[in-house]
Amino acid sequence: MAWEFESPLIVAPMAGGPSTTALVRAAAAAGAVGFLAAGYKTPDAVAREVADLRGSGLPYGLNIFLPTAPADQAAVDEYRRLLQPEADRYGVELPHPPLFDDDHFPAKVRLAVDARIPLVSFTFGVPDREVVADLHRAGSTVIVTVTSAVEARSSATVGPDFLVVQAGTAGAHSATTEPEGYDGSSTAPELLREVAASVDLPLIAAGGTGTADDVRGLISAGAVAVQAGTAFLLADEAGTRPVQRAAMLSGRFTETVVTRAFTGRPARGLRNRFIDAYSAAAPVAYPAVHHLTTPIRAAAAAREDPEAVNLWAGTGFAEARPGPTAEIIARLTKI
Ligand SMILES: Cc1cc2nc3c(=O)[nH]c(=O)nc-3n(C[C@H](O)[C@H](O)[C@H](O)COP(=O)(O)O)c2cc1C
């Protein structure tokens, strides 16, 4: 379905807390469109959020994770051994995580189809052609996230309406289908150019946008919209954890890096002690490593210790400001 983005700005789906129905409502009230994040939630929890927005007549989207290949037992076991001092430090027990977890992918797709969600986006892979066709029949606009021209070409074959072109500068997990070699070095303008030369689909740019100049530049370069996440982490309506809000406002963290240390999949976050200690050893094993480190992260967050928490953020993090979502949207779309 051809969707007309009235505002150049999309409030990104942000799994792990920041995305709330309040954030999506505030984005819509300000003329933009926001996404709910289905990642890590049970289908029931997603259904409750969708029910809250469904009757509202507001534009909104839902983002769904594609399942990834099972992790290697030996690699997870070895990383588990390496993390034992962290478990001791925070007084937690490390789980033996499942090697495969589909994050309820089929149920979440079914929910999106049944609820006729206006916009449905995917990350971490390419959905089957049948999934895209089912969503189209339900009236949804379908978006696939890509991180390279190669991924854009393979995504185009399943018939999406838009691609999110996610640069290495983006906050949190990369959508990459090749997590082993991913270095997060691409910027949004250059990746947009590369992908535009490879596929004939409307493109949504993402990664590192902190200012109206960044947004304007990407729209002038041909993007139909810009999907920003980090800029909204301090929004009043976001569900960002207090430990992350405090870290972002502290001035103590001065750079972001890409790491697999927290989850086994490359993700960009504020550089802290845990990243420095474990990035080199962390295997490609998502979401097994996500489950493995959950107790450590939860205990650190409860102690308001930002040094062992995944403080996901993109390279534009220093531009993020607290305040109402409407104000942040106005600032990013100022002409
Ligand atoms: C805290 C956080 C969580 C995120 N969670 C998701 C997610 O669940 N699904 C998704 O497709 N993208 C997710 N993203 C990535 C965004 O969709 C987008 O690519 C990114 O925020 C753009 O870069 P920026 O953060 O520099 O604006 C997340 C980003 C952040 C900062």
Side-chain angles (χ1 to χ4, degrees):
M1 302 285 124
W3 180 275
E4 292 290 329
F5 287 98
E6 280 165 31
S7 160
L9 205 66
I10 298 172
V11 179
M14 291 186 281
S19 287
T20 59
T21 54
L23 182 62
V24 173
R25 279 178 181 274
V33 60
F35 275 74
L36 296 173
Y40 310 122
K41 294 195 177 112
T42 63
D44 281 351
V46 179
R48 279 193 294 277
E49 292 190 348
V50 168
D52 181 32
L53 291 167
R54 199 176 169 188
S56 66
L58 298 172
Y60 71 100
L62 178 72
N63 175 261
I64 301 175
F65 292 174
L66 265 297
T68 44
D72 175 60
Q73 184 76 64
V76 174
D77 288 348
E78 182 163 343
Y79 196 50
R80 188 175 183 280
R81 268 193 300 279
L82 195 70
L83 291 180
Q84 193 52 49
E86 292 295 322
D88 297 341
R89 178 181 188 136
Y90 290 99
V92 297
E93 190 81 26
L94 294 178
H96 289 279
L99 296 179
F100 179 74
D101 167 8
D102 72 356
D103 197 44
H104 307 283
F105 178 77
K108 288 173 181 176
V109 169
R110 176 58 36 213
L111 195 155
V113 169
D114 291 347
R116 301 178 170 276
I117 292 177
L119 295 152
V120 179
S121 72
F122 293 94
T123 189
F124 302 166
V126 186
D128 289 345
R129 189 179 265 288
E130 293 70 38
V131 166
V132 177
D134 283 351
L135 287 164
H136 278 159
R137 271 192 293 277
S140 302
T141 292
V142 180
I143 305 170
V144 178
T145 311
V146 302
T147 66
S148 69
V150 171
E151 289 171 7
R153 280 194 293 272
S154 76
S155 297
T157 63
V158 302
D161 304 285
F162 296 88
L163 299 179
V164 166
V165 177
Q166 186 195 43
T169 46
H173 288 118
S174 165
T176 182
T177 53
E178 288 186 28
E180 188 83 55
Y182 182 83
D183 66 2
S185 61
S186 69
T187 66
E190 76 193 20
L191 187 62
L192 182 67
R193 216 173 311 123
E194 271 175 47
V195 172
S198 315
V199 292
D200 191 16
L201 276 170
L203 305 177
I204 296 163
T209 44
T211 66
D213 272 353
D214 296 333
V215 174
R216 237 189 335 263
L218 290 166
I219 298 294
S220 325
V224 293
V226 172
Q227 176 159 298
T230 301
F232 293 96
L233 283 170
L234 298 178
D236 294 346
E237 296 86 349
T240 312
R241 288 175 296 186
V243 66
Q244 169 132 14
R245 286 184 188 263
M248 288 178 72
L249 291 167
S250 68
R252 167 170 158 190
F253 299 96
T254 53
E255 68 173 316
T256 62
V257 286
V258 171
T259 182
R260 297 195 298 254
F262 289 111
T263 66
R265 166 173 271 279
R268 185 175 288 280
L270 298 177
R271 182 174 173 186
N272 60 8
R273 183 185 63 79
F274 194 93
I275 289 179
D276 283 344
Y278 300 107
S279 290
V284 173
Y286 178 89
V289 171
H290 159 81
H291 294 302
L292 183 60
T293 65
T294 293
I296 296 169
R297 293 182 282 132
R303 286 188 201 179
E304 291 176 24
D305 171 2
E307 296 294 348
V309 174
N310 53 308
L311 304 168
W312 296 151
T315 55
F317 73 96
E319 303 288 346
R321 299 283 179 276
T325 296
E327 255 175 37
I328 298 169
I329 290 175
R331 194 168 59 243
L332 285 172
T333 54
K334 204 169 57 203
I335 298 181

